[in-house]
Amino acid sequence: MSAEKPALGIFGAGWVGLVTGACFADLGHRVVIRDVVPERIEALRTGRVPFHEPGLTELIERNRERLAFTLDLEELKADATIFFACVDTPLTPSGEANLAPVWSVVEDLGAPEGATLVMKSTVPVGTGERIRAELGDRAGYVSNPEFLSEGRAIEDFVHPDRIVIGSFDDEHGDRIAALYEGFDAPVVRTSVPSAEMIKLASNAFLATRISFINEIANVSEAVGADIDQVAQGMGLDKRIGTSYLRPGVGYGGSCYPKDVPFLKLLAGNSGYHFQLLTAVMEVNELQKRRVVGKLKKHLGDLPGKTIALLGLSFKPNTDDMRDAPSIVLASRLRAEGAEVRAWDPLVTGHPELDGVVVEPSLLEAVRGADAAVIVTEWPELEAIVSPEVRESMRTPLIVDGRNFLDPAAARGAGFAYEGIGRA
């Protein structure tokens, strides 16, 4: 008979906390998730997940007997000795990480005998050293960064590329490694600073690939090359590979726009000027605005023109609007005098989309529009290449900000088509 799996306590009922908690519950652990927002806990108790992540609602419901949601700190600590910190660490106005939620976790943890605090939140390198000094002998500390991708987080948890465990001593590192026994993935045991750096460096590298291929796409446009062919030829090199070689309107979301400045500032505070990351961020911001130039090329000045933005979330299969390119595009287009409409299968509005009319259907968004801009590659947008859409638009122009459509098919259906870096 197998030993009973340890109970787990999770600080934070956000995206990372809920995915982590539900997946561990599915593995047989008793999990208590605590948050400080009453409305969020009440929603979870009634079966409502406060954001969209495929499969998460069903996973939580399936493990309802092993999952509890609470505002009560004592309930969180009643049975568990392993605690995961899954709180947000947003950027401050100075560009640093706001670690106030992390320090609240340390304070709330107190001194339960034999406890291990596991950091899932993304924190600057050196945070673990400071927390260890604060904890003293009260509890152990382990850095176990998450590498989840929105829209496929459950799959990423269950079938990870790697599991990183950074610890100050083997005892607590072994304790957390045991939670992942049976996972078909390499376990990377490191120091705490190295684990923290792995997380930041991984996200910064992926962001760099995105900005790099966007730069290559922009140059390809200028010299008559086709980025699809260029990326294919590059990706066949085993040293390069095909991942993150798709150009577009730039990255967004909760990770890259935060973690790249984290790493750049960390380097600067350590006396090193990380020039590459400066360029990565600059390219990403400029890429979001290149769509406006493409629209002007076809339509001339934009006052009086109606532009439909198709897809608002920063990527498909999520309703996350954090640093979504659609926000920058909408603001820029309205500043140019255009009327902006939008459609998204999940997002029906957002405070930063001031003045944008979000329509309930794709057809209503493009009706009478002078151009349709694909901002997020939702599968539903394959339907845009149709006689019904073409005839409903004032000007049948598609600017494909994700190179999602087949250019020949779009042009063959009677649309003017422009992608990113396509000949």
Side-chain angles (χ1 to χ4, degrees):
M1 183 175 179
S2 61
E4 184 177 352
K5 296 192 174 184
L8 308 176
I10 293 182
F11 290 90
W15 179 70
V16 173
L18 288 180
V19 171
T20 299
C23 287
F24 272 127
D26 204 47
L27 293 171
H29 295 268
R30 166 71 177 164
V31 180
V32 178
I33 302 177
R34 185 240 184 182
D35 205 278
V36 296
V37 180
E39 296 80 10
R40 181 175 297 174
I41 293 301
E42 182 58 32
L44 289 166
R45 285 172 173 170
T46 58
R48 290 181 290 116
V49 177
F51 50 83
H52 179 79
E53 178 60 43
L56 184 57
T57 298
E58 296 79 3
L59 189 65
I60 289 174
E61 187 58 38
R62 186 166 75 236
N63 292 282
R64 181 66 63 177
E65 291 185 0
R66 285 192 290 268
L67 273 170
F69 304 100
T70 185
L71 297 166
D72 185 359
L73 187 59
E74 296 310 311
E75 182 179 352
L76 175 76
K77 298 194 289 185
D79 298 315
T81 55
I82 298 175
F83 299 90
F84 286 85
C86 301
V87 293
D88 196 16
T89 53
L91 287 176
T92 65
S94 66
E96 298 181 289
N98 180 358
L99 294 179
V102 169
W103 287 111
S104 291
V105 168
V106 175
E107 181 179 352
D108 290 341
L109 179 65
E113 185 176 350
T116 303
L117 176 60
V118 186
M119 188 57 62
K120 279 285 185 189
S121 301
T122 302
V123 296
V125 181
T127 302
E129 296 274 9
R130 293 164 56 196
I131 293 176
R132 181 197 192 190
E134 177 66 25
L135 289 173
D137 295 330
R138 292 184 292 157
Y141 181 88
V142 172
S143 175
N144 176 217
E146 54 86 12
F147 300 100
L148 308 176
S149 178
E150 290 189 53
R152 48 161 297 148
I154 294 171
E155 175 69 15
D156 286 344
F157 187 97
V158 176
H159 300 290
D161 294 326
R162 75 288 203 195
I163 297 164
V164 176
I165 297 174
S167 60
F168 293 109
D169 57 72
D170 289 341
E171 176 188 352
H172 291 281
D174 292 345
R175 191 179 194 192
I176 304 311
L179 298 179
Y180 297 98
E181 284 183 359
F183 279 62
D184 185 20
V187 176
V188 183
R189 297 290 294 268
T190 73
S191 67
V192 169
S194 294
E196 294 167 338
M197 181 60 87
I198 288 169
K199 169 64 175 180
L200 293 175
S202 297
N203 281 353
F205 183 74
L206 294 176
T208 299
R209 283 182 70 111
I210 293 171
S211 286
F212 179 82
I213 201 63
N214 280 334
E215 289 276 72
I216 295 297
N218 297 340
V219 176
S220 294
E221 281 187 13
V223 301
D226 187 289
I227 190 60
D228 294 341
Q229 297 171 1
V230 172
Q232 180 186 21
M234 291 172 58
L236 291 173
D237 187 324
K238 294 182 177 64
R239 297 168 301 173
I240 297 174
T242 59
S243 297
Y244 284 73
L245 287 186
R246 288 190 61 190
V249 292
Y251 58 75
S254 62
C255 293
Y256 303 158
K258 179 186 71 172
D259 294 352
V260 175
F262 269 11
L263 184 52
K264 180 179 180 296
L265 187 64
L266 173 73
N269 290 342
S270 303
Y272 181 76
H273 179 41
F274 208 144
Q275 298 181 66
L276 178 61
L277 293 187
T278 301
V280 167
M281 293 186 288
E282 181 181 353
V283 168
N284 193 60
E285 289 308 305
L286 292 174
Q287 194 70 14
K288 297 174 186 178
R289 292 163 169 78
R290 285 182 61 84
V291 168
V292 177
K294 293 177 179 292
L295 290 169
K296 286 184 172 182
K297 183 175 80 172
H298 289 268
L299 303 176
D301 291 337
L302 297 182
K305 303 296 195 301
T306 299
I307 311 298
L309 298 182
L310 305 180
L312 292 171
S313 58
F314 87 95
K315 65 182 292 187
N317 296 317
T318 180
D319 54 0
D320 195 342
M321 287 290 291
R322 285 175 288 185
D323 278 288
S326 62
I327 295 172
V328 174
L329 276 173
S331 176
R332 188 66 252 153
L333 288 169
R334 295 197 68 238
E336 292 281 345
E339 176 189 336
V340 182
R341 297 187 205 148
W343 168 85
D344 189 280
L346 293 178
V347 179
T348 57
H350 190 270
E352 292 186 80
L353 293 173
D354 183 45
V356 176
V357 178
V358 181
E359 300 286 3
S361 72
L362 170 60
L363 195 59
E364 288 176 82
V366 300
R367 183 172 289 119
D370 294 285
V373 179
I374 296 178
V375 186
T376 311
E377 61 273 36
W378 286 100
E380 293 90 330
L381 290 177
E382 291 180 353
I384 194 175
V385 180
S386 70
E388 187 177 22
V389 169
R390 186 191 66 239
E391 292 164 9
S392 71
M393 296 179 70
R394 185 159 55 198
T395 308
L397 167 63
I398 297 174
V399 175
D400 188 351
R402 296 294 182 183
N403 285 0
F404 179 66
L405 302 177
D406 180 344
R411 293 181 181 119
F415 291 91
Y417 174 90
E418 176 133 3
I420 306 293
R422 285 175 157 175

